[in-house]
Amino acid sequence: METPCMPALEMSPAVHATVVSDRREPAPGIVIVGVRAPQLAASIRAGQFVMAVPPSGERVSTALGVYEVEGDRVSLMLVVVGPRTRELALLSDGDSLALLGPLGNGFDCDSLGDDVALVAGGVGVAPMLLPARDLVARGARVTLYYGARTARALVDIALFEAVGATVVTATDDGTLGHHGYVTDVLARDGARHSAIAACGPSPMLRSVARVARQLDLRAQLSLEETFACGVGACWGCVVPLDRSSAQAPKFPDAAAGESRDYVHARICKEGPVFWAHELRW
Amino acid sequence: METPCMPALEMSPAVHATVVSDRREPAPGIVIVGVRAPQLAASIRAGQFVMAVPPSGERVSTALGVYEVEGDRVSLMLVVVGPRTRELALLSDGDSLALLGPLGNGFDCDSLGDDVALVAGGVGVAPMLLPARDLVARGARVTLYYGARTARALVDIALFEAVGATVVTATDDGTLGHHGYVTDVLARDGARHSAIAACGPSPMLRSVARVARQLDLRAQLSLEETFACGVGACWGCVVPLDRSSAQAPKFPDAAAGESRDYVHARICKEGPVFWAHELRW
Amino acid sequence: MVDTQPSLATNLGGLLLSAPTLMGSGCYGSGEEYAPFIDLARIGGVVLKSVTRLPRLGNDAPRLVPVASGLLNAIGLQNPGIDSYLANDVAKFADRPCAIVGSVAGFAIEDFGDVTERLAARAEIDAIEINISCPNVAHEGETFACDPKLAERATQAARARTKKPLIVKLSPNVTDIASIARVVEAAGADALAVVNTVRGMSIDVDRQAPKLGNVTGGLSGAAIRPIAVLAVWEVARAVRIPILGQGGIETARDALEFVLAGATAISVGTGNFTDPRAPITIADGIRAYLAARGCASIEEIVGAANPGYLARR
Amino acid sequence: MVDTQPSLATNLGGLLLSAPTLMGSGCYGSGEEYAPFIDLARIGGVVLKSVTRLPRLGNDAPRLVPVASGLLNAIGLQNPGIDSYLANDVAKFADRPCAIVGSVAGFAIEDFGDVTERLAARAEIDAIEINISCPNVAHEGETFACDPKLAERATQAARARTKKPLIVKLSPNVTDIASIARVVEAAGADALAVVNTVRGMSIDVDRQAPKLGNVTGGLSGAAIRPIAVLAVWEVARAVRIPILGQGGIETARDALEFVLAGATAISVGTGNFTDPRAPITIADGIRAYLAARGCASIEEIVGAANPGYLARR
Ligand SMILES: Cc1cc2nc3c(=O)[nH]c(=O)nc-3n(C[C@H](O)[C@H](O)[C@H](O)COP(=O)(O)OP(=O)(O)OC[C@H]3O[C@@H](n4cnc5c(N)ncnc54)[C@H](O)[C@@H]3O)c2cc1C
Ligand SMILES: Cc1cc2nc3c(=O)[nH]c(=O)nc-3n(C[C@H](O)[C@H](O)[C@H](O)COP(=O)(O)OP(=O)(O)OC[C@H]3O[C@@H](n4cnc5c(N)ncnc54)[C@H](O)[C@@H]3O)c2cc1C
Ligand SMILES: Cc1cc2nc3c(=O)[nH]c(=O)nc-3n(C[C@H](O)[C@H](O)[C@H](O)COP(=O)(O)O)c2cc1C
Ligand SMILES: Cc1cc2nc3c(=O)[nH]c(=O)nc-3n(C[C@H](O)[C@H](O)[C@H](O)COP(=O)(O)O)c2cc1C
Ligand code: FES
Ligand code: FES
């Protein structure tokens, strides 16, 4: 994952003391929080993430993708699932919020070809706006396959259309688009694509990997896992990865003669984006 | 503590599902939250308290005095000192909040005579508005001795004046009223009073008790202590009390022949208001 | 999906419960204190506050310290002693529309026998729980629950004096709780309560002194939940008698962790201080969970996440 | 008030620290991962991730579960093994502008001796901490830290092979931590790290299975703070060597609880995951606390709330 879509200002990660500038709730339980974060906005690349420091302490930080980037402002999309996302969703204008970032290696947009399928499940849509924008900007055709439980949870479709992506939807309950999984639509219509980039819950990503194999396409998957440090220090967020992957950390065999063909890679450090065919799930 | 100032609708305590109707912040770190709670408003008596259920769970409930009561509305005054008061202070209009109450035995206003000194330190002013109003209503002269760290923390003086109380202030830093402790003023000027009722941090209440002894006045003290249940179930909030007090719970001697002249009374159940001369601090 | 409501009834070592939700000893008084807030007929039962041979004034204040996701307490077993308790308190428990479990604490082996016998003799009492997390005054102050021999003898002493269901409450403050559980089972317990509070303390940095009057106390609440779930998991693999799970239960999902680990019933302590409606929302939540999975009874899921438990039944 | 800034410098069993704030093993990598976020010159030191004789792939995912006010982890000591570590990693630690403590874990007594010797021989390493919270494969899997004899032998094995300061890290999962501490002191430890994680588990009620790949894990974070403060308090009364306090420290006031209980220095683990600036705000807060009380050095307040500690020094 060497070349990002749009070469951003190369800057090492830092703690950014940001201030909330705006907040909207496009659907119940989904909150988009905008913050002023000039350095972060200047340096973040598609698919990288930040760690949000909990305003009250007492909990570990939360990994969040970066949704929009415009000028000095970046926004975060929160789906409230537990105490940390609940607390962050309560932030309002003027509140301060510390963010660590940019972290991890994002999507390698240059390797995705000219007709890219972006696949997003639920909050997995958050890190998809930046690659959609960047891919369109370099002339690629972009289709966003976007699935959620129900129509209301499919947020901001117009925003993706505005950056030039075609949006194909699916809902578990059939209230919008295909009635069923978005990966079914991908399997049916996806053969024409040059490559896939996906983000969403693990079961969806496994299904994307299967479909990609069937369609003989390469797929970049942004994995979800519970993080503690988010910076590669604790080895809490691993996934088994081909030893031959360019992203694989160097690691000796466990014992002489006992050669394993995979290593544990840190999702926060070597990822969060991996090539589907290199994962040993 | 038999007869309350104004005989309120006798009603057993309950869980009240209330909704926040208003919120103001009279000084930094002090928040007044109004809720719609018709049954509670109809039944609460001066000096009783409620337990506020934490909106997020994971913490024990918080004991709070009831500040204002008007029609269906009661209000709570919060001084943010820790995680529970911080969370409650974040409540905003329309949020729901469960309150248990009314709890405990309040002030016995009828026993306070005709020229009552109310003494409040910091957030100890919260449960003082109801007795001030009730005492004035039954014709007593009421002086509120009100102390805080600094002028800004002396909130709502006008509200106490509006119900007919004279307000005497003191601040630790001398920014308003007497420069020093409010109990110094009481010691100097308090001889004319018929009795004292006080609420505030423990050191202040101990000092009120000393002053009351010097002035030969009876004093009712509303004690502060960490509560867990607030309903008399856990015996976590005790204070040593004269065995002869009318409020003393029945309790046998620890062993034959070993007669103790005090018992542990529950502040939440037998109190929170006790006669100063009956406490065995 | 099943047509009828799943059953929450369960059998805890001979104690029949209409719901698997008991209220923890020391946290619910005698039930009456909470009666204004919830309908006691909808809970499984109340474990009464522990009673001792002699009256105890308890520890000096402060007795409670709120800590992160929990509570430290050092009440010191304040109670009127068994004589006064039998004379003045027990008759009132007859009114409670749920199971009533007497709790017995002691500082000598004989205490467990004597107090258990006198309390269990009363018709108002459906079962006895012995709280063995106290120091043995005759044995260098060693805690009964932390020494296999002492735990065994306390259990035997109580067992010999009642035929009512006998629950023994274990402490998590041990190197190997499963070995203590096995000894207590062999000594005749009908069920095990797992677990009591975890030892802890907190220091007031302004006063440079411990916050609790008693210096040390017991940690309870959500903070200890992972410790308690593991204790249930390990005990469930070691014994065949049923387990009453407890430690930080506030919601139905919390309670289900204990049931899936191998608890037949659960107990809510500190959770009542968070919200007294917890026992009702927990029972309702468990019922909904069972219904969604087509289970007719809670007994179908006891230990379902614990292969070591299932292998032993 | 003192005119000059109070000193935070301290001596942990021969390890000289410019600040009393170390970063806990396994939570701070090698320091380099956090270098973009804070100035490492302002912390006392880093305790490196534990290294073992052979490489270890570690446990299956998931390895982390967030719980109330804390974290459950089961990393399984993933590390490249001492050969690769010496060849590829240790030289990098020379850059770190703070003390570097190597951490050694083992599954056999010999591991502690051999790995300690090889690691301590390197100039980049200022001191060794041994992590004895691992099962002894030759001894029915009993944990070194939970058995006095095993803890003693592991300590002796490491002690015999280095003259650098030796810190032994104790486990809270024991009936009596003070007795283990005494044995380890007698076996030659220069300081004690108190405490490692508390054993716990969490169950996914939807999948009806444990959440951690390894089933059980270690609980850390604010949830265990009262347990850890008590452990420090009890160990401080039992030994004369200094204590490195840890368990749930996030703020200066948290850290001061440990210092007042008897810790000479403290370690921040999970607190870094909450906010990587914690070590700096903690050091600043301690300095302000000392200044407000007119103390010239942190050493003046070590154990100030623990009479039993003060009596032994
Ligand atoms: C690289 C990366 C980027 C991420 N980006 C975002 C983002 O932009 N926005 C965002 O909202 N989240 C994002 N996440 C996920 C987010 O970090 C977690 O959902 C968060 O840690 C939840 O914290 P919590 O305390 O609210 O809930 P937790 O306490 O962690 O979980 C609460 C409960 O919800 C369950 N749960 C957890 N996650 C989910 C889920 N996704 N759906 C349903 N149930 C769940 C858990 O099993 C648990 O029972 C990202 C994660 C990663 C690794
Ligand atoms: C009968 C009764 C009525 C009460 N009425 C009110 C009320 O109307 N409004 C209100 O705000 N509070 C009231 N209190 C006090 C309130 O219940 C406690 O302050 C509350 O429990 C604090 O919870 P917390 O989680 O915010 O802080 P905690 O975690 O309990 O405490 C945080 C820190 O602050 C310290 N601390 C605690 N209380 C104070 C204090 N008063 N001043 C300075 N430091 C403190 C503690 O030592 C601790 O270090 C009342 C208490 C009682 C017993
Ligand atoms: C204030 C308080 C008092 C307690 N008193 C007793 C007691 O008298 N006897 C007993 O066996 N357990 C007692 N306990 C322990 C509880 O019954 C329970 O085992 C423990 O708190 C863990 O559960 P929880 O986290 O749900 O509270 C007490 C706990 C608290 C918090
Ligand atoms: C993710 C993680 C990894 C850890 N790895 C190690 C380790 O390799 N060696 C060790 O001695 N302790 C390890 N620990 C324990 C910590 O160093 C520390 O003792 C414990 O977490 C308690 O402190 P805390 O609450 O500040 O985290 C680890 C803890 C965590 C959370
Ligand atoms: S979360 Fe710590 S290494 Fe990834
Ligand atoms: S707080 Fe439980 S008895 Fe008062």
Side-chain angles (χ1 to χ4, degrees):
Chain A
M1 307 266 155
E2 306 294 59
T3 4
C5 292
M6 295 194 106
L9 193 61
E10 200 52 70
M11 204 178 266
S12 86
V15 187
H16 304 277
T18 77
V19 175
V20 175
S21 57
D22 57 277
R23 178 188 186 281
R24 65 192 168 97
E25 207 164 331
I30 305 183
V31 173
I32 293 168
V33 174
V35 302
R36 297 269 153 237
Q39 292 195 316
L40 190 61
S43 55
I44 194 113
R45 297 177 306 183
Q48 288 187 302
F49 68 97
V50 296
M51 295 294 285
V53 174
S56 68
E58 280 189 18
R59 304 182 192 286
V60 301
S61 299
T62 316
L64 297 173
V66 167
Y67 183 44
E68 302 151 291
V69 176
E70 322 141 318
D72 278 1
R73 173 183 178 270
V74 305
S75 77
L76 310 168
M77 185 188 292
L78 294 159
V79 171
V80 178
V81 295
R84 291 176 295 165
T85 44
R86 191 180 311 124
E87 184 183 22
L88 292 169
L90 288 174
L91 288 169
S92 56
D93 294 12
D95 287 346
S96 45
L97 174 67
L99 298 175
L100 270 59
L103 298 171
N105 294 304
F107 292 109
D108 179 3
C109 297
D110 286 350
S111 306
L112 292 172
D114 291 327
D115 185 353
V116 183
L118 299 180
V119 188
V123 75
V125 81
M128 288 305 184
L129 193 63
L130 294 188
R133 185 198 63 185
D134 293 353
L135 288 164
V136 170
R138 78 146 164 75
R141 203 169 135 189
V142 174
T143 310
L144 173 69
Y145 294 83
Y146 184 11
R149 269 176 307 100
T150 186
R152 293 204 62 178
L154 288 167
V155 300
D156 281 5
I157 292 175
L159 210 55
F160 282 86
E161 289 173 342
V163 301
T166 306
V167 180
V168 175
T169 58
T171 48
D172 298 354
D173 64 1
T175 45
L176 189 67
H178 174 74
H179 187 164
Y181 291 130
V182 74
T183 44
D184 302 341
V185 191
L186 181 70
R188 194 186 62 203
D189 303 341
R192 67 175 163 86
H193 293 296
S194 50
I196 300 172
C199 183
S202 271
M204 189 200 87
L205 294 182
R206 284 168 196 269
S207 157
V208 169
R210 255 191 317 273
V211 170
R213 224 176 304 121
Q214 286 156 16
L215 300 177
D216 201 21
L217 293 176
R218 300 216 308 167
Q220 294 179 17
L221 308 182
S222 179
L223 302 190
E224 259 209 27
E225 181 59 272
T226 301
F227 289 174
C229 69
V231 303
C234 76
W235 292 88
C237 62
V238 297
V239 65
L241 187 69
D242 262 6
R243 196 180 266 281
S244 63
S245 165
Q247 288 173 271
K250 287 201 202 334
F251 199 81
D253 281 337
E258 183 205 354
S259 177
R260 285 228 175 69
D261 58 359
Y262 70 92
V263 292
H264 278 131
R266 293 163 294 186
I267 296 177
C268 72
K269 187 81 176 182
E270 281 79 46
V273 180
F274 295 94
W275 287 108
H277 62 275
E278 294 182 347
L279 292 171
R280 294 297 190 90
W281 280 354
Chain B
M1 307 270 154
E2 307 293 61
T3 3
C5 291
M6 296 192 105
L9 193 60
E10 200 52 70
M11 204 179 267
S12 87
V15 188
H16 304 276
T18 77
V19 175
V20 175
S21 57
D22 57 277
R23 179 186 186 280
R24 65 192 168 94
E25 207 165 331
I30 306 184
V31 173
I32 294 167
V33 173
V35 301
R36 297 270 152 236
Q39 291 195 316
L40 190 61
S43 55
I44 193 112
R45 296 176 308 183
Q48 288 186 302
F49 69 97
V50 296
M51 294 295 284
V53 174
S56 68
E58 280 188 18
R59 302 182 192 287
V60 301
S61 300
T62 316
L64 297 173
V66 166
Y67 183 43
E68 303 151 289
V69 176
E70 323 140 316
D72 277 2
R73 172 182 178 270
V74 305
S75 77
L76 310 167
M77 184 188 292
L78 293 160
V79 171
V80 178
V81 296
R84 291 175 295 165
T85 44
R86 190 179 313 124
E87 184 184 22
L88 292 169
L90 288 174
L91 288 169
S92 56
D93 295 11
D95 287 347
S96 44
L97 174 67
L99 299 175
L100 271 60
L103 297 171
N105 295 303
F107 292 108
D108 178 4
C109 297
D110 286 350
S111 307
L112 292 172
D114 291 328
D115 186 353
V116 183
L118 299 180
V119 187
V123 75
V125 79
M128 287 304 185
L129 192 63
L130 294 188
R133 182 197 65 185
D134 292 353
L135 287 163
V136 170
R138 77 147 164 76
R141 203 169 135 189
V142 175
T143 309
L144 174 69
Y145 294 84
Y146 183 11
R149 269 175 308 100
T150 187
R152 293 204 63 178
L154 288 167
V155 301
D156 280 6
I157 293 175
L159 210 56
F160 282 86
E161 290 172 342
V163 301
T166 304
V167 180
V168 175
T169 58
T171 48
D172 298 354
D173 64 359
T175 45
L176 189 67
H178 174 73
H179 186 164
Y181 292 129
V182 75
T183 43
D184 302 340
V185 191
L186 181 70
R188 193 185 63 202
D189 304 339
R192 67 174 163 88
H193 292 296
S194 50
I196 299 171
C199 183
S202 270
M204 188 200 89
L205 293 183
R206 285 168 196 269
S207 156
V208 169
R210 256 191 316 273
V211 171
R213 225 177 303 122
Q214 287 156 12
L215 301 176
D216 201 20
L217 293 177
R218 301 216 308 168
Q220 293 179 17
L221 308 182
S222 180
L223 302 191
E224 259 210 27
E225 181 58 272
T226 301
F227 289 174
C229 69
V231 302
C234 77
W235 291 87
C237 62
V238 297
V239 65
L241 187 70
D242 263 6
R243 196 180 265 282
S244 63
S245 164
Q247 287 172 271
K250 286 199 203 335
F251 199 80
D253 281 337
E258 183 207 352
S259 178
R260 286 229 175 69
D261 57 1
Y262 71 91
V263 291
H264 278 132
R266 294 163 295 188
I267 297 177
C268 72
K269 187 79 177 185
E270 280 80 46
V273 180
F274 295 95
W275 287 108
H277 62 275
E278 294 183 346
L279 292 171
R280 292 299 191 89
W281 279 354
Chain C
M1 303 283 160
V2 288
D3 292 338
T4 53
Q5 283 277 343
S7 164
L8 293 188
T10 190
N11 178 340
L12 186 72
L15 176 67
L16 301 179
L17 300 168
S18 61
T21 38
L22 284 95
M23 304 300 106
S25 177
C27 302
Y28 220 66
S30 66
E32 130 192 86
E33 292 84 352
Y34 277 100
F37 308 107
I38 70 161
D39 178 0
L40 297 178
R42 293 181 62 195
I43 67 174
V46 175
V47 184
L48 302 167
K49 170 136 198 68
S50 297
V51 62
T52 54
R53 196 164 59 82
L54 295 178
R56 289 176 57 87
L57 271 175
N59 291 327
D60 287 346
R63 293 177 171 184
L64 299 171
V65 177
V67 293
S69 293
L71 188 68
L72 272 176
N73 90 80
I75 310 294
L77 290 172
Q78 170 159 1
N79 80 90
I82 188 68
D83 291 343
S84 164
Y85 197 64
L86 293 173
N88 304 314
D89 296 317
V90 176
K92 292 182 233 157
F93 308 150
D95 296 342
R96 312 282 175 268
C98 57
I100 295 294
V101 179
S103 171
V104 172
F107 299 85
I109 297 290
E110 314 79 73
D111 292 0
F112 291 103
D114 296 345
V115 180
T116 295
E117 173 165 9
R118 296 181 63 193
L119 189 56
R122 293 288 295 257
E124 297 88 344
I125 303 294
D126 298 312
I128 296 287
E129 178 174 288
I130 61 171
N131 169 5
I132 59 173
S133 293
C134 312
N136 179 355
V137 290
H139 200 277
E140 296 176 346
E142 184 121 29
T143 306
F144 291 96
C146 297
D147 180 295
K149 267 264 104 1
L150 290 175
E152 177 179 41
R153 291 178 55 207
T155 307
Q156 287 167 339
R159 176 74 293 167
R161 310 282 278 275
T162 184
K163 295 207 153 43
K164 287 192 175 166
L166 176 66
I167 306 166
V168 178
K169 186 164 182 175
L170 303 185
S171 165
N173 303 300
V174 294
T175 309
D176 179 14
I177 196 170
S179 66
I180 307 268
R182 271 188 289 258
V183 170
V184 166
E185 176 182 41
D190 296 311
L192 298 171
V194 181
V195 287
N196 213 319
T197 53
V198 181
R199 295 180 63 234
M201 82 178 289
S202 184
I203 291 177
D204 183 328
V205 302
D206 297 319
R207 292 193 305 109
Q208 301 196 337
K211 285 189 182 170
L212 286 170
N214 187 53
V215 179
T216 71
L219 179 63
S220 63
I224 69 166
R225 195 187 307 136
I227 302 171
V229 171
L230 176 56
V232 168
W233 172 276
E234 291 187 334
V235 170
R237 301 163 89 88
V239 300
R240 286 166 199 276
I241 51 177
I243 294 169
L244 174 59
Q246 59 199 282
I249 297 175
E250 294 178 347
T251 68
R253 292 180 76 87
D254 301 341
L256 285 162
E257 285 197 55
F258 285 79
V259 174
L260 293 168
T264 292
I266 60 91
S267 182
V268 185
T270 307
N272 294 307
F273 307 151
T274 300
D275 190 339
R277 296 165 302 184
I280 306 297
T281 54
I282 289 170
D284 290 349
I286 294 176
R287 200 179 284 108
Y289 178 92
L290 294 172
R293 275 162 189 74
C295 299
S297 154
I298 184 165
E299 296 181 346
E300 293 177 33
I301 62 163
V302 173
N306 189 347
Y309 166 90
L310 296 172
R312 285 183 69 89
R313 314 284 142 155
Chain D
M1 301 285 159
V2 288
D3 293 337
T4 54
Q5 282 277 344
S7 163
L8 293 188
T10 191
N11 178 340
L12 186 72
L15 176 67
L16 300 179
L17 299 168
S18 62
T21 39
L22 283 96
M23 303 300 107
S25 177
C27 303
Y28 221 66
S30 66
E32 129 193 87
E33 292 84 352
Y34 277 100
F37 308 107
I38 71 162
D39 178 1
L40 296 177
R42 293 181 64 197
I43 66 174
V46 174
V47 185
L48 303 166
K49 170 133 199 71
S50 298
V51 63
T52 53
R53 196 165 59 82
L54 295 179
R56 289 175 58 86
L57 272 175
N59 291 327
D60 287 345
R63 292 176 172 186
L64 299 170
V65 177
V67 292
S69 292
L71 188 68
L72 271 177
N73 90 79
I75 310 295
L77 290 171
Q78 169 158 1
N79 81 90
I82 188 69
D83 290 343
S84 164
Y85 196 66
L86 293 174
N88 304 315
D89 297 317
V90 175
K92 292 183 234 157
F93 309 149
D95 296 341
R96 312 279 176 271
C98 56
I100 295 293
V101 180
S103 171
V104 172
F107 299 86
I109 297 291
E110 314 80 73
D111 292 0
F112 291 102
D114 296 345
V115 181
T116 294
E117 173 165 7
R118 296 181 63 194
L119 188 55
R122 293 290 294 257
E124 297 88 344
I125 302 293
D126 299 311
I128 296 286
E129 177 174 287
I130 60 171
N131 170 4
I132 57 173
S133 294
C134 312
N136 179 354
V137 288
H139 200 277
E140 297 177 345
E142 185 122 27
T143 306
F144 291 96
C146 297
D147 179 295
K149 267 262 105 3
L150 291 175
E152 177 179 41
R153 291 177 54 207
T155 306
Q156 287 167 340
R159 177 72 295 168
R161 309 283 278 277
T162 184
K163 294 206 154 45
K164 288 192 175 166
L166 176 66
I167 306 166
V168 178
K169 186 164 183 176
L170 303 185
S171 164
N173 303 301
V174 294
T175 308
D176 180 14
I177 196 169
S179 66
I180 308 269
R182 271 187 290 257
V183 170
V184 167
E185 176 182 42
D190 296 311
L192 299 171
V194 180
V195 288
N196 213 318
T197 52
V198 181
R199 295 179 65 233
M201 81 178 289
S202 184
I203 291 176
D204 183 327
V205 302
D206 297 320
R207 292 193 305 108
Q208 302 198 335
K211 285 188 182 172
L212 286 170
N214 187 53
V215 179
T216 71
L219 179 62
S220 64
I224 70 166
R225 195 186 307 135
I227 302 171
V229 172
L230 176 56
V232 169
W233 172 275
E234 291 187 334
V235 170
R237 301 163 88 88
V239 301
R240 285 166 201 276
I241 52 178
I243 294 169
L244 173 59
Q246 60 200 279
I249 297 176
E250 295 178 346
T251 68
R253 293 179 76 87
D254 300 342
L256 286 162
E257 285 197 56
F258 286 79
V259 174
L260 294 168
T264 292
I266 60 90
S267 182
V268 185
T270 307
N272 293 308
F273 307 151
T274 300
D275 189 340
R277 298 166 299 184
I280 306 297
T281 53
I282 289 171
D284 290 349
I286 294 177
R287 200 179 284 108
Y289 177 92
L290 294 172
R293 276 163 188 73
C295 300
S297 155
I298 183 165
E299 297 181 346
E300 293 177 35
I301 62 163
V302 172
N306 189 348
Y309 167 91
L310 297 172
R312 285 183 68 90
R313 314 283 142 155

